[in-house]
């Protein structure tokens, strides 16, 4: 039998069933008996002028995550999570977001470059049974982005209920790259989330100060909305587009046989060259694309799991077919952004200190306040943002409306696999991370951009600030 590194495979079903057995006969499906779900790729209406129009509908629904019982959920065009919006660089797109929920919501296009008034943030909300239309042009690099609610003080709860989806951009580099590209065959999205359920099998969200401070974590793991699914693939190179879509949990992803794999992309661009890895750390909000050679596993299985929780998340069954040779691209792109800065000392520096003490979460001593603009940035100017974490808990720091590059991590260079363009960076305890960042899209005080911790309970509790981007030349 194959050696397993995730020891909880065997005991999972019996242990977890016991928890619920006292209250109700709630049972899990047999581990790895359900096939991985693949979100639909949303078909746009293509207008004569090339405009691609997408329709999203936020709605209440229910899902049988567990046997013989349904859990109340939120979904976007489906019962849990949303479809993939897939576009090419250069596309002009229009998105109509209909809110069929009984509460206000709004969608944020995480990682996208667009004006503040085209994005969704706490300053905008879509009333129940109303819709919001946004239109913008895609002018940024190929990568796996995503969308999720950014509703004032309700982001964590609405994401937990199921509102999130992938937003994939392709460009010249990604179209010509020698990489697996067949959706759901060898180009596979993995949205990783954790949930906890109450004794009626409903999602159990925030209920204590501990949840606010430490973030809501679940003991049950979902991949694309399915608990412990399996996937069947050919013995070849497989590309995974991984989103940590959890509210607060960090993961260290690896394969059960400890095989190496290559990270090819970060949040907002390819890496220049593939980076060989044994494990991949992702904080909430972060994405990575990896390729792994499974050509040696004909008629065998391995698991994709998380070494922090010691959980197997996905069983990968490799078909009994002729193996296909692994191709490792030597170069993926050239990252020219932020490379022509001659004098770093001439750049404006802004310091963001992440504050966390008993009952207080903020940045630079302030809680998020919608009526207060924390920073005013000049359009097109490159700055250094210095993010300080004097505490112990790591925080993923996310900035809207841009892609940045790490300049230094505790005075050292960024790790090899975080040298892509990013929109979310982990700042570990007692660390100072400096990023080079440029804003090329305006944001007014009515619809400012946000910077915040992507532990959603921290964000909702106030570890967030607002900034405008204004053209100072006019
Ligand atoms: Cu945080």
């Amino acid at each position: 039998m194959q050696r397993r590194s995730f020891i909880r495979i065997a005991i999972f079903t019996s242990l977890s069933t016991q928890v619920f057995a006292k209250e109700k006969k709630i049972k899990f499906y047999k581990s790895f008996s359900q096939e991985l779900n693949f979100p639909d790729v949303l078909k746009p209406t293509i207008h004569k002028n090339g405009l691609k129009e997408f329709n999203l509908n936020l709605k209440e629904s229910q899902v049988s995550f567990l046997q013989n019982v349904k859990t109340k959920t939120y979904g976007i065009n489906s019962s849990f999570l949303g479809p993939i919006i897939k576009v090419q660089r250069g596309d002009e797109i229009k998105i109509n977001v209909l809110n069929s929920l009984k509460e206000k919501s709004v969608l944020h296009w995480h990682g996208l470059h667009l004006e503040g008034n085209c994005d969704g943030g706490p300053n905008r909300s879509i009333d129940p049974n109303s819709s919001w239309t946004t239109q913008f042009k895609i002018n940024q690099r190929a990568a796996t982005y995503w969308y999720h609610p950014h509703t004032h003080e309700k982001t964590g709860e609405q994401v937990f209920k199921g509102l999130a989806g992938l937003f994939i951009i392709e460009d010249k580099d990604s179209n010509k790259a020698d990489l697996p590209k067949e959706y759901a065959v060898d180009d596979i999205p993995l949205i990783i989330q954790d949930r906890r359920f109450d004794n009626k099998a409903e999602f159990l969200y925030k209920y204590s100060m501990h949840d606010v401070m430490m973030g809501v974590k679940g003991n049950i793991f979902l991949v694309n909305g399915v608990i412990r699914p399996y996937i069947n693939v050919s013995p070849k190179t497989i590309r995974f587009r991984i989103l940590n879509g959890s509210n607060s949990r960090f993961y260290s992803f690896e394969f059960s046989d400890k095989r190496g794999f290559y990270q090819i992309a970060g949040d907002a661009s390819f890496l220049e060259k593939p980076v060989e890895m044994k494990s991949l750390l992702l904080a909430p909000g972060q994405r990575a694309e990896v390729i792994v050679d499974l050509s040696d596993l004909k008629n065998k299985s391995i698991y994709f799991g998380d070494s922090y929780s010691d959980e197997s998340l996905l069983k990968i069954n490799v078909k009994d077919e002729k193996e296909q040779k692994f191709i490792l691209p030597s170069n993926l792109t050239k990252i020219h952004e932020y490379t022509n800065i001659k004098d770093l000392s001439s750049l404006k520096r802004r310091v963001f200190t992440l504050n966390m003490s008993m009952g207080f979460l903020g940045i630079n001593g302030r809680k998020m306040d919608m009526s207060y603009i924390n920073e005013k940035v000049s359009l097109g100017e490159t700055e250094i943002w210095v993010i300080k974490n004097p505490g112990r808990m790591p925080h993923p720091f996310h900035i809207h409306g841009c892609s940045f590059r790490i300049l230094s991590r505790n005075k050292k260079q960024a790790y090899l696999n975080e040298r892509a363009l990013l929109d979310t960076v982990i700042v570990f305890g007692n660390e100072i991370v400096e990023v080079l960042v440029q804003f090329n899209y305006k944001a007014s005080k009515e619809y400012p951009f946000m910077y915040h911790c992507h532990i959603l309970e921290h964000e909702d509790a106030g570890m967030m600030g607002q900034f405008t981007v204004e053209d100072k030349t006019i």
Side-chain angles (χ1 to χ4, degrees):
M1 193 177 148
Q2 193 183 334
R3 196 177 134 256
R4 288 163 167 176
S5 72
F6 310 110
I7 53 165
R8 291 180 66 181
I9 292 171
I11 58 169
F12 176 85
T13 307
S14 56
L15 239 187
S16 308
T17 309
Q18 276 175 14
V19 176
F20 297 109
K22 289 178 204 152
E23 303 290 337
K24 228 180 174 186
K25 283 188 180 157
I26 294 170
K27 280 166 66 182
F28 287 88
Y29 290 101
K30 191 167 175 292
S31 287
F32 311 110
S33 67
Q34 293 182 285
E35 194 161 10
L36 180 68
N37 172 56
F38 291 98
D40 289 338
V41 178
L42 187 58
K43 276 211 167 61
T45 305
I46 303 178
H47 295 265
K48 274 190 187 147
N49 59 2
L51 177 73
K52 292 182 179 172
E53 184 171 359
F54 296 92
N55 291 310
L56 297 177
N57 181 13
L58 318 185
K59 58 179 189 176
E60 291 183 357
S61 193
Q62 42 185 8
V63 174
S64 295
F65 296 108
L66 307 161
Q67 275 193 51
N68 310 321
V69 66
K70 288 196 162 145
T71 302
K72 288 191 193 107
T73 56
Y74 283 178
I76 306 169
N77 299 11
S78 70
S79 53
F80 188 73
L81 299 176
I84 297 179
I85 296 179
K86 191 172 173 185
V87 297
Q88 295 285 329
R89 184 171 189 160
D91 281 350
E92 179 81 23
I93 65 163
K94 180 175 178 179
I95 310 174
N96 307 307
V97 184
L98 171 65
N99 179 10
S100 304
L101 303 171
K102 293 192 188 77
E103 62 172 337
K104 290 178 180 182
S105 192
V106 71
L107 291 181
H108 163 58
W109 317 107
H110 182 123
L112 267 58
H113 300 185
L114 73 182
E115 293 200 356
N117 64 3
C118 300
D119 202 358
N123 296 274
R124 183 187 290 286
S125 70
I126 316 169
D127 286 331
N129 300 312
S130 304
S131 62
W132 166 55
T133 294
T134 182
Q135 187 170 333
F136 51 93
K137 187 171 176 156
I138 303 293
N139 186 21
Q140 65 188 100
R141 285 170 171 271
T144 304
Y145 303 87
W146 65 303
Y147 59 92
H148 61 79
H150 216 302
T151 317
H152 183 54
E153 295 179 347
K154 299 277 275 185
T155 296
E157 189 178 345
Q158 294 188 349
V159 171
F160 204 82
K161 286 181 173 173
L163 300 184
L166 294 178
F167 197 118
I168 293 175
I169 299 179
E170 303 286 3
D171 68 3
K172 266 191 222 150
D173 287 338
S174 70
N175 291 331
K176 74 162 198 260
D178 201 352
L179 290 170
K181 289 172 192 162
E182 206 177 335
Y183 179 67
V185 174
D186 57 16
D187 182 352
I188 293 160
L190 299 177
I191 301 171
I192 313 292
Q193 297 175 308
D194 59 332
R195 292 291 181 271
R196 58 189 187 197
F197 294 85
D198 68 11
N199 55 25
K200 294 190 178 68
E202 298 298 351
F203 284 151
L204 183 60
Y205 189 61
K206 189 167 65 181
Y207 61 81
S208 71
M209 182 48 81
H210 180 269
D211 289 340
V212 175
M213 299 309 280
M214 303 314 291
V216 169
K217 290 190 185 70
N219 56 339
I220 309 298
F221 296 81
L222 302 176
V223 185
N224 300 350
V226 184
I227 300 173
R228 303 191 147 222
Y230 72 86
I231 181 176
N232 298 325
V233 296
S234 295
K236 67 185 296 285
T237 306
I238 303 295
R239 176 186 193 174
F240 291 110
R241 298 173 184 260
I242 308 166
L243 161 67
N244 180 350
S246 298
N247 283 41
S248 76
R249 185 181 283 277
F250 288 55
Y251 297 89
S252 178
F253 297 115
E254 56 181 43
F255 293 93
S256 51
D257 63 355
K258 310 283 185 198
R259 70 180 47 223
F261 55 91
Y262 293 87
Q263 185 172 345
I264 55 169
D267 292 335
S269 80
F270 280 127
L271 289 154
E272 291 195 333
K273 293 177 196 316
V275 175
E276 193 171 3
M277 322 264 288
K278 291 274 187 196
S279 64
L280 167 70
L281 172 65
L282 283 187
Q286 292 187 303
R287 292 85 64 209
E289 292 182 32
V290 305
I291 52 173
V292 59
D293 179 10
L294 301 180
S295 62
D296 60 319
L297 284 179
K298 196 160 90 166
N299 210 18
K300 292 182 186 150
S301 301
I302 53 167
Y303 296 87
F304 173 79
D306 166 41
S307 65
Y308 285 165
S309 58
D310 215 0
E311 285 282 347
S312 292
L313 305 171
L314 171 72
K315 186 178 186 186
I316 304 167
N317 300 320
V318 183
K319 295 178 200 166
D320 190 7
E321 286 176 2
K322 187 171 164 22
E323 60 271 21
Q324 297 172 48
K325 205 168 156 272
F326 178 65
I327 299 163
L328 181 67
S330 50
N331 290 293
L332 295 158
T333 192
K334 184 84 197 139
I335 301 177
H336 52 76
E337 289 89 337
Y338 305 111
T339 53
N340 60 352
I341 299 159
K342 292 192 181 67
D343 180 14
L344 287 170
S345 66
S346 68
L347 301 183
K348 182 170 178 61
R349 292 169 69 87
R350 291 180 205 264
V351 176
F352 300 88
T353 302
L354 308 175
N355 312 119
M356 186 169 168
S357 55
M358 257 333 275
F360 181 81
L361 287 151
I363 298 173
N364 291 343
R366 290 190 79 104
K367 264 186 192 302
M368 162 74 177
D369 174 356
M370 283 218 285
S371 64
Y372 184 80
I373 298 295
N374 302 74
E375 306 288 335
K376 291 178 182 170
V377 173
S378 296
L379 185 72
E381 218 163 89
T382 302
E383 302 190 348
I384 298 173
W385 284 27
V386 183
I387 310 138
K388 296 185 176 178
N389 181 1
R392 275 186 302 184
M393 186 172 176
H395 301 277
F397 190 84
H398 170 52
I399 313 175
H400 289 196
C402 69
S403 304
F404 56 75
R405 258 195 125 170
I406 299 177
L407 176 63
S408 72
R409 179 179 279 291
N410 256 6
K411 296 194 175 148
K412 297 198 180 90
Q413 284 200 312
Y415 301 120
L416 278 179
N417 71 314
E418 55 180 9
R419 296 186 188 178
L421 295 178
L422 304 175
D423 53 57
T424 307
V425 62
I426 302 174
V427 189
F428 293 97
N430 290 313
E431 266 199 339
I432 299 174
V433 174
E434 294 179 310
V435 302
L436 285 163
V437 62
Q438 185 183 43
F439 298 94
N440 294 312
Y441 291 84
K442 288 191 262 185
S444 65
K445 63 179 192 306
E446 287 75 29
Y447 297 110
F449 286 138
M450 304 290 137
Y451 53 85
H452 62 87
C453 176
H454 220 284
I455 291 174
L456 299 180
E457 290 69 40
H458 288 184
E459 171 193 329
D460 282 337
M463 195 181 270
M464 175 154 67
Q466 315 195 95
F467 65 101
T468 56
V469 180
E470 283 166 19
D471 190 351
K472 296 281 168 61
T473 61
I474 49 171

